[in-house]
Amino acid sequence: MTTSPTPAGAVDYTTKIPNNINLAGDDRVLKALEQWHPGYIDWWMTMGPDGFQTSDVYLRTAISIDPKGWAKFDYVKMPEYRWGILLAPQDENRLVNFGAHKGEKAWQEVPGEYRASLRRLVVIQGDTEPASVEQQRFLGKTAPSLYDMRNLFQVNVEEGRHLWAMVYLLHKYFGKDGREEADGLLQRRSGDQDKPRMLGAFNEETPDWLSFFMFTFFTDRDGKMQLESLAQSGFDPMSRTCRFMLTEEAHHMFVGETGVSRTIERTCAAMKAAGIEDPYDINRVRALGVIDLPTIQKKANLHYSLSLDLFGSEISTNAANFYNGGLKGRFMETKIEDDHLLTSATYPVLKLIDGQIKSVEEPALTAINMRLRDDYSKDCQGGVNRWNKVIEKAGIKFAITLPSVAFHRHIGEFKDVKVSHDGKVLSETEWIKNRDQWLPSKSDGDYIASLMQPCWERGKYAGWLSAPKVGIDNKGGDFEYVKIHRA
Amino acid sequence: MAEAAAAKRIDFQTDPSRYHHWKLVTDGDRAELIMDVDENATLFSGYQLKLNSYDLGVDIELADVLQRLRFEHPEVRVVVMKSGKDKVFCAGANIRMLAVSTHAHKVNFCKFTNETRNSIEDSSENSGQKFICAVRGTAAGGGYELALACDRIILADDGNSTVSLPEIPLLAVLPGTGGLTRVTDKRKVRRDLADAFCTVEEGVKGARAVKWRLVDRVATNSKFDAEVAALATELAASIKKAPGAKGIALTPIPRAIAADTITYSTVRVAIDRPGRRATITILGPDANPPDDIATMHSQAAQFWSLRLARELDDAILELRLNELEVGTLVFKSEGDPGRVLAHDAFLANHAEDWLATEIRNYWKRVLKRIDVTSRSLVATIEPGSCFAGTLAEIVFACDRSFMFQGSRKGDNRGPATMLLSAQNFGAYPMSNGITRLQTRFLGEPESVGAAEKQTGKSLDAAACEDLGLVTSAFDEIDWDDEVRIFLEERASFSADGLTGLEANLRFAGPETMETKIFGRLTAWQNWIFQRPNAVGADGALKRYGSGVKAEFDKKRV
């Protein structure tokens, strides 16, 4: 067999694991990944989408890292999806752009000094990827359409690929410990009492499709922010890996934003058709078989607050060390106009002072998490505004709002205090009295669950969700996105 | 001047023709060791060595004398140490030298002087050479500590001669060379009397010094020499060693010192300054040991085991004193492990030979010197290495050891192995009195037995890892990265933190006088040496001799 040199950016399919990193020439990593592969497939078969492993799914697969043409669509059985290792191209002149090493050449190897910190960052990021697949594994059974089912599976296989990306870093750069950590990523389980996933939000249930949309909108957006800040890393392979992951993450965000938007759209349309103007006339709205806007707001409150917890404590010496070490930067670090050292800068941080929520100037270096969280909130707000346009267009007086960052928190400054949706500090009794106003109640959950009936007919959509404006890969809404062969 | 102390390269090689401060006179089985410090022959500028006070240069000569006594004068049974000056035996470490020295130099100085004092006691215990300290005039501070290292102390009963440890009242520091430990643990002075002794600047003399057990005897000036001679005869009679031993010459050690390398015949040191580490490569013997002991005697200082011990000892001292920023020492070896074991066996089979015994005792001290070296110690055991028997002890002295599993592509030398010999099970006790393997396996003594069963066998990486002899084994896939990352990480930690960590972890198990001396030196003396009460602008060390009383922070810590 003769092989022609692989063009830059193209994926090499000659090894079992598609890649653009010349895996064929790296015996050591190839061997480690090939040893890891069966365990991964085993995990995918037991913890991946339940009941659809033999179905043909119309999925995109990365064939190049060229932004214009990197994806190829075709029917694939998920276990045969070609998970691969894809990194954004290397820029020979890239520098460390922030922290104490600012101006040095970006590192192509792990500096020994930062081995433990970098490994921890990779492992935490890596742990979230399989976790969300586990959280979403039963959703296929209640998919509101083949289109949505396909989107779910696309998200799932890409989370799987993101796990591969992190495992590649562990295998390539962290030796024996790295291989042990890579195995650990397949051993933990979302929500498992004995071996839970590392972060709280990834042990919560995703019981229904509205939760899935909210999760992809809010929680995957945290993932995007984390990847954005890791993409700034002075450790170049991490940066390159994360940059390519971000191109895929955009689709997950799209699934979330449009999913919620289509839910809202369907609710508004049904209300209008029935002549209901009061969005709080919940019983009448629910009688239409759609999800009332206040309940959508409650779902948003829940997922937003859980996702804020993922940013960690507002004031964090770990985050400061990661920044100062050049390991993890800020969102759009290179576009920010400051010294990128932050040794003397301050940043406003919301804190609980004498029972009041107040903004306090804190050293910017220790407030890195807070800053990333603020950028996240801004990013969320953009999507929320687009949802509100849909409501506005329907002429209904209602607007989805993001709750106060102090609301329903379990990590950080506000973890020990009860706060209302609009940021008022409450007594325990007030909180218990009002909780169901702001967070989904059991009956809200039961109602949504009652709507979760599969709708698998080509071109059909469940009654609580409107059809997408356009399909995937320029296919129509009635395209057979999943050919179901139930196992 | 402290800067000068940092800039000048300190050489540990000397010989009697170059001595400034000591004179050794041997007469049959007796020797006189006369301390007569040349006050102008200092290691650095900025002080004079008045009153037989000493700096590191004086101690380097003393260490050399002791070594030559063992190897060049094995016939000597009793050494009388005395002063070449009237009215003063020795005033101890030079205070002005301490005042102008960097902290690091003071610590290294104290460590070396301690090793030398311990070496006196080692000669007494293992080389059949007893020491009598004949004190006329004052023996103050380090001067009395020198006496304490000897087997017997005779003090002139002349109304003037005293022994004292005036560090606290005079300098606000502690005796740095084992003084306190030897007063209580060796001479077994009652603690309240010891307390009184250590706080009275002028010290104790005459009968009281005997009563308090600070000295063994006193003698008037007229009877002094006769008393010393009588005691020498008494001690010589107590020594069981075969007469007729003929010494060998400790010829100069050839070495080439370049900017980043030191090259000996059996040791190569390569310094990686950006990485702040030195690689010490030990070269195994290029031949088997001779067939008979006479040939070894004729090879003398060229005999591989002795040559390597001397070169390695010098290399460690070079790095300790002259390369302060080299934080990690990486030990490697090259050679035939079988030949190393053959040398071990040769020395063990000739245990009755004085030279064979001295060589083994020397190895014990070199290994101890490695143990107390305040650098991160790492061994990498790779294909082609010869960490066997005595050389395996270096691996066990290290804080971490990494072994290469399998072979490198294209390397036909076969996988790395380690071999154990009888020497790993008793010949080289650490300062805690037990072997490195016993110390290593304090919680699992059966592991020492398991290792001993493998004596003489080639142990590959898996076996060594299994036996707990190395920290980790890595194959070709992981080796380069794992070792590089470890070394880089190590270099990123606080040097002080590592010094403390390593000193704490290395010496598990029993406490001995030696462990107390080194432990208390590092913990207490180094703390006090950093405190303003001693080294601040108004501290006692700085104000010493100025006539102005030191000012103390009175808070107890």
Side-chain angles (χ1 to χ4, degrees):
Chain A
M1 191 182 86
T2 59
T3 51
S4 54
T6 316
V11 177
D12 174 9
Y13 280 103
T14 61
T15 57
K16 203 167 173 184
I17 301 151
N19 71 89
N20 68 343
I21 46 159
N22 187 24
L23 206 50
D26 191 341
D27 287 351
R28 160 183 121 89
V29 178
L30 186 61
K31 188 176 135 202
L33 286 171
E34 283 179 352
Q35 282 174 1
W36 187 78
H37 188 248
Y40 173 79
I41 293 297
D42 191 44
W43 168 81
W44 180 269
M45 295 309 285
T46 51
M47 296 310 291
D50 187 38
F52 298 90
Q53 304 282 16
T54 56
S55 300
D56 290 303
V57 187
Y58 193 67
L59 294 175
R60 66 173 183 187
T61 303
I63 50 165
S64 145
I65 45 162
D66 174 358
K68 280 180 201 133
W70 64 268
K72 173 175 165 282
F73 287 85
D74 205 353
Y75 286 105
V76 180
K77 289 186 177 48
M78 285 184 280
E80 291 158 19
Y81 181 80
R82 308 221 46 192
W83 285 288
I85 315 289
L86 303 166
L87 271 65
Q90 186 180 340
D91 168 6
E92 299 286 342
N93 299 316
R94 189 169 174 267
L95 301 177
V96 181
N97 292 315
F98 56 91
H101 301 280
K102 183 172 173 282
E104 290 176 19
K105 279 206 81 158
W107 311 305
Q108 299 305 326
E109 295 287 340
V110 174
E113 184 176 356
Y114 299 125
R115 164 194 233 180
S117 299
L118 278 169
R119 192 180 58 215
R120 188 171 163 70
L121 286 170
V122 174
V123 169
I124 289 177
Q125 182 64 39
D127 196 61
T128 65
E129 314 291 357
S132 62
V133 176
E134 292 163 6
Q135 287 171 299
Q136 296 157 10
R137 68 180 300 238
F138 297 114
L139 289 175
K141 291 179 173 161
T142 57
S145 72
L146 293 181
Y147 166 86
D148 288 290
M149 185 191 276
R150 177 262 163 214
N151 282 350
L152 167 70
F153 295 156
Q154 182 73 57
V155 169
N156 289 164
V157 293
E158 286 177 357
E159 298 296 6
R161 205 201 67 73
H162 291 181
L163 172 60
W164 275 85
M166 292 297 122
V167 165
Y168 164 70
L169 291 178
L170 289 170
H171 281 175
K172 169 94 180 157
Y173 298 102
F174 297 92
K176 216 177 195 175
D177 298 350
R179 290 198 294 276
E180 276 168 23
E181 293 287 4
D183 292 343
L185 292 172
L186 295 179
Q187 283 153 11
R188 286 184 289 274
R189 292 282 182 271
S190 175
D192 188 297
Q193 208 176 347
D194 298 327
K195 282 191 154 184
R197 291 291 169 185
M198 297 169 89
L199 300 176
F202 290 90
N203 288 304
E204 299 283 335
E205 284 185 18
T206 310
D208 57 68
W209 275 79
L210 184 54
S211 297
F212 170 64
F213 293 145
M214 289 292 180
F215 184 95
T216 42
F217 181 84
F218 285 111
T219 307
D220 280 348
R221 192 176 307 275
D222 158 72
K224 169 188 151 184
M225 300 307 285
Q226 301 299 336
L227 290 175
E228 287 277 8
S229 50
L230 292 173
Q232 306 294 334
S233 181
F235 176 45
D236 203 39
M238 168 106 98
S239 166
R240 293 169 55 207
T241 305
C242 291
R243 275 182 272 153
F244 186 73
M245 288 164 76
L246 280 165
T247 64
E248 292 168 323
E249 204 72 36
H251 174 257
H252 306 188
M253 236 114 298
F254 163 85
V255 168
E257 185 179 328
T258 57
V260 175
S261 185
R262 286 161 56 216
T263 308
I264 291 171
E265 190 182 3
R266 180 70 197 105
T267 301
C268 291
M271 283 170 71
K272 266 180 93 176
I276 303 170
E277 293 200 343
D278 179 7
Y280 295 96
D281 199 347
I282 289 168
N283 289 336
R284 283 183 66 205
V285 174
R286 287 189 178 178
L288 304 171
V290 295
I291 304 172
D292 52 285
L293 297 177
T295 296
I296 294 174
Q297 172 73 59
K298 286 192 229 178
K299 282 281 204 184
N301 293 345
L302 175 68
H303 286 272
Y304 179 64
S305 58
L306 288 174
S307 300
L308 290 178
D309 281 344
L310 293 171
F311 288 85
S313 293
E314 288 84 347
I315 299 298
S316 162
T317 50
N318 271 341
N321 290 339
F322 291 157
Y323 185 87
N324 196 50
L327 312 182
K328 185 178 174 187
R330 292 170 293 177
F331 182 56
M332 310 285 257
E333 180 71 44
T334 49
K335 305 274 185 329
I336 300 172
E337 290 205 3
D338 63 14
D339 65 2
H340 303 279
L341 301 174
L342 305 185
T343 42
S344 51
T346 62
Y347 188 82
V349 175
L350 286 181
K351 297 185 98 171
L352 188 70
I353 293 170
D354 300 332
Q356 298 298 310
I357 299 167
K358 287 186 178 154
S359 175
V360 183
E361 287 293 322
E362 290 284 345
L365 204 50
T366 54
I368 289 286
N369 282 347
M370 180 72 188
R371 170 156 190 148
L372 190 64
R373 205 187 72 193
D374 284 349
D375 288 328
Y376 167 79
S377 293
K378 272 183 229 142
D379 211 46
C380 289
Q381 189 63 53
V384 171
N385 291 346
R386 287 188 285 278
W387 294 342
N388 285 333
K389 285 249 163 55
V390 174
I391 304 173
E392 208 183 304
K393 213 168 137 193
I396 294 168
K397 290 198 174 60
F398 191 88
I400 307 277
T401 53
L402 290 175
S404 159
V405 294
F407 170 78
H408 188 238
R409 295 298 305 281
H410 299 93
I411 284 176
E413 194 66 22
F414 306 109
K415 68 175 164 33
D416 297 322
V417 66
K418 295 288 187 279
V419 173
S420 67
H421 180 270
D422 60 355
K424 289 197 188 64
V425 178
L426 303 178
S427 71
E428 189 70 29
T429 346
E430 285 173 305
W431 166 256
I432 291 168
K433 215 172 84 189
N434 289 294
R435 186 197 171 279
D436 285 356
Q437 230 192 137
W438 298 317
L439 291 170
S441 65
K442 171 135 195 335
S443 68
D444 295 333
D446 291 346
Y447 172 67
I448 295 173
S450 75
L451 298 179
M452 294 298 127
Q453 303 300 328
C455 182
W456 296 351
E457 213 174 310
R458 273 175 70 161
K460 293 275 160 96
Y461 290 82
W464 57 273
L465 185 67
S466 61
K469 298 219 172 16
V470 287
I472 293 293
D473 190 30
N474 298 318
K475 304 289 181 207
D478 61 347
F479 181 72
E480 191 174 16
Y481 287 105
V482 182
K483 291 181 184 165
I484 297 172
H485 308 290
R486 295 299 305 267
Chain B
M1 281 171 283
E3 294 305 311
K8 184 175 167 183
R9 186 160 198 109
I10 298 167
D11 189 354
F12 289 85
Q13 293 310 307
T14 186
D15 62 70
S17 72
R18 292 191 277 163
Y19 288 172
H20 294 284
H21 312 296
W22 297 89
K23 201 164 85 187
L24 181 70
V25 183
T26 61
D27 177 13
D29 68 353
R30 310 293 162 90
E32 277 200 340
L33 179 54
I34 300 148
M35 184 183 198
D36 191 3
V37 174
D38 173 354
E39 63 182 33
N40 295 314
T42 59
L43 205 49
F44 309 115
S45 58
Y47 57 92
Q48 281 187 308
L49 295 172
K50 293 194 168 158
L51 301 172
N52 254 10
S53 62
Y54 58 86
D55 65 359
L56 181 60
V58 177
D59 232 70
I60 288 172
E61 289 183 10
L62 175 59
D64 189 72
V65 174
L66 295 169
Q67 197 68 333
R68 288 179 198 280
L69 270 166
R70 292 189 185 97
F71 284 96
E72 299 188 346
H73 305 287
E75 73 284 1
V76 169
R77 292 166 180 241
V78 176
V79 181
V80 175
M81 196 186 289
K82 56 197 258 193
S83 167
K85 293 191 165 37
D86 287 342
K87 309 214 185 241
V88 62
F89 171 73
C90 169
N94 188 278
I95 307 307
R96 291 183 196 283
M97 176 277 293
L98 290 176
V100 301
S101 293
T102 60
H103 180 70
H105 182 78
K106 283 198 284 258
V107 173
N108 271 320
F109 165 71
C110 286
K111 188 173 279 177
F112 185 79
T113 55
N114 270 304
E115 288 171 325
T116 310
R117 307 302 171 273
N118 291 343
S119 153
I120 293 175
E121 288 169 341
D122 186 43
S123 285
S124 162
E125 204 180 321
N126 298 304
S127 301
Q129 294 185 333
K130 300 284 178 192
F131 285 75
I132 296 169
C133 193
V135 180
R136 296 176 98 157
T138 52
Y144 179 52
E145 287 178 305
L146 201 47
L148 284 169
C150 297
D151 297 280
R152 298 282 192 279
I153 307 172
I154 300 189
L155 179 66
D157 191 9
D158 56 6
N160 287 316
S161 295
T162 56
V163 293
S164 66
L165 290 177
E167 281 83 351
I168 285 284
L170 214 55
L171 305 166
V173 298
L174 299 183
T177 321
L180 300 183
T181 302
R182 287 199 176 86
V183 162
T184 54
D185 286 47
K186 184 178 184 182
R187 302 207 60 92
K188 301 183 170 63
V189 175
R190 227 171 70 193
R191 57 170 284 192
D192 53 345
L193 300 179
D195 185 289
F197 172 62
C198 294
T199 49
V200 55
E201 187 183 320
E202 68 271 24
V204 174
K205 63 189 172 194
R208 176 179 283 178
V210 178
K211 189 161 193 299
W212 284 15
R213 309 176 58 85
L214 296 167
V215 304
D216 295 285
R217 297 182 190 181
V218 287
T220 56
N221 276 341
S222 56
K223 294 185 181 152
F224 193 77
D225 290 341
E227 278 285 342
V228 170
L231 186 55
T233 306
E234 196 181 299
L235 278 180
S238 75
I239 294 164
K240 292 181 188 69
K241 82 175 171 185
K246 197 171 169 302
I248 61 158
L250 291 182
T251 48
I253 297 173
R255 64 181 174 185
I257 301 179
D260 297 327
T261 59
I262 311 173
T263 312
Y264 303 86
S265 71
T266 57
V267 178
R268 290 195 307 250
V269 179
I271 296 169
D272 170 358
R273 293 189 192 281
R276 297 203 297 106
R277 62 177 174 263
T279 301
I280 301 175
T281 306
I282 289 160
L283 307 181
D286 45 23
N288 274 325
D291 293 335
D292 57 81
I293 196 77
T295 313
M296 181 188 80
H297 278 262
S298 64
Q299 286 178 356
Q302 295 310 308
F303 180 64
W304 175 80
S305 302
L306 178 55
R307 186 155 48 99
L308 173 58
R310 293 180 76 207
E311 293 177 352
L312 183 57
D313 202 20
D314 189 65
I316 297 290
L317 290 170
E318 279 283 335
L319 290 167
R320 258 199 210 169
L321 270 293
N322 296 323
E323 296 292 351
L324 297 182
E325 291 197 11
V326 168
T328 305
L329 307 186
V330 182
F331 289 95
K332 293 178 189 278
S333 64
E334 288 173 14
D336 176 352
R339 285 180 184 160
V340 178
L341 278 204
H343 279 74
D344 274 5
F346 181 84
L347 292 175
N349 291 339
H350 294 97
E352 79 302 333
D353 179 75
W354 74 266
L355 182 55
T357 304
E358 283 305 332
I359 291 170
R360 274 198 304 166
N361 278 330
Y362 188 22
W363 264 103
K364 177 190 68 191
R365 293 191 302 277
V366 173
L367 290 163
K368 281 185 182 183
R369 179 127 46 216
I370 294 173
D371 288 335
V372 296
T373 294
S374 299
R375 310 292 167 94
S376 296
L377 306 176
V378 185
T380 62
I381 306 140
E382 298 170 65
S385 69
C386 59
F387 286 114
T390 298
L391 296 189
E393 282 296 305
I394 296 172
V395 175
F396 306 143
C398 285
D399 300 302
R400 300 272 196 106
S401 51
F402 302 112
M403 188 155 178
F404 197 100
Q405 191 155 30
S407 303
R408 282 196 179 83
K409 228 183 251 171
D411 181 348
N412 54 12
R413 281 179 299 183
T417 56
M418 272 221 290
L419 285 90
L420 300 173
S421 78
Q423 312 293 72
N424 301 113
F425 301 93
Y428 306 126
M430 299 173 62
S431 60
N432 60 7
I434 58 177
T435 65
R436 280 172 196 78
L437 285 177
Q438 284 170 326
T439 306
R440 187 178 185 85
F441 296 123
L442 206 58
E444 39 179 309
E446 65 281 5
S447 296
V448 180
E452 194 162 12
K453 284 207 187 80
Q454 303 299 316
T455 298
K457 293 185 190 148
S458 272
L459 304 170
D460 65 10
C464 287
E465 203 175 26
D466 195 41
L467 288 165
L469 300 178
V470 296
T471 313
S472 315
F474 301 117
D475 60 13
E476 184 176 23
I477 283 183
D478 288 325
W479 178 264
D480 287 350
D481 246 18
E482 291 282 356
V483 172
R484 174 187 65 81
I485 287 179
F486 169 79
L487 293 172
E488 285 182 12
E489 182 187 59
R490 199 75 176 179
S492 74
F493 292 131
S494 152
D496 299 334
L498 287 177
T499 295
L501 174 79
E502 291 153 2
N504 269 285
L505 303 185
R506 281 178 195 170
F507 303 97
E511 183 97 288
T512 64
M513 211 163 72
E514 263 183 71
T515 61
K516 281 185 183 180
I517 287 168
F518 284 113
R520 285 164 198 191
L521 173 74
T522 37
W524 288 110
Q525 181 72 312
N526 290 346
W527 178 67
I528 294 165
F529 261 158
Q530 291 284 54
R531 300 276 295 166
N533 285 350
V535 293
D538 306 323
L541 269 182
K542 284 278 161 28
R543 285 200 169 168
Y544 175 76
S546 71
V548 186
K549 199 171 156 35
E551 277 175 37
F552 293 139
D553 176 352
K554 305 282 188 194
K555 284 192 289 296
R556 294 290 285 250
V557 179

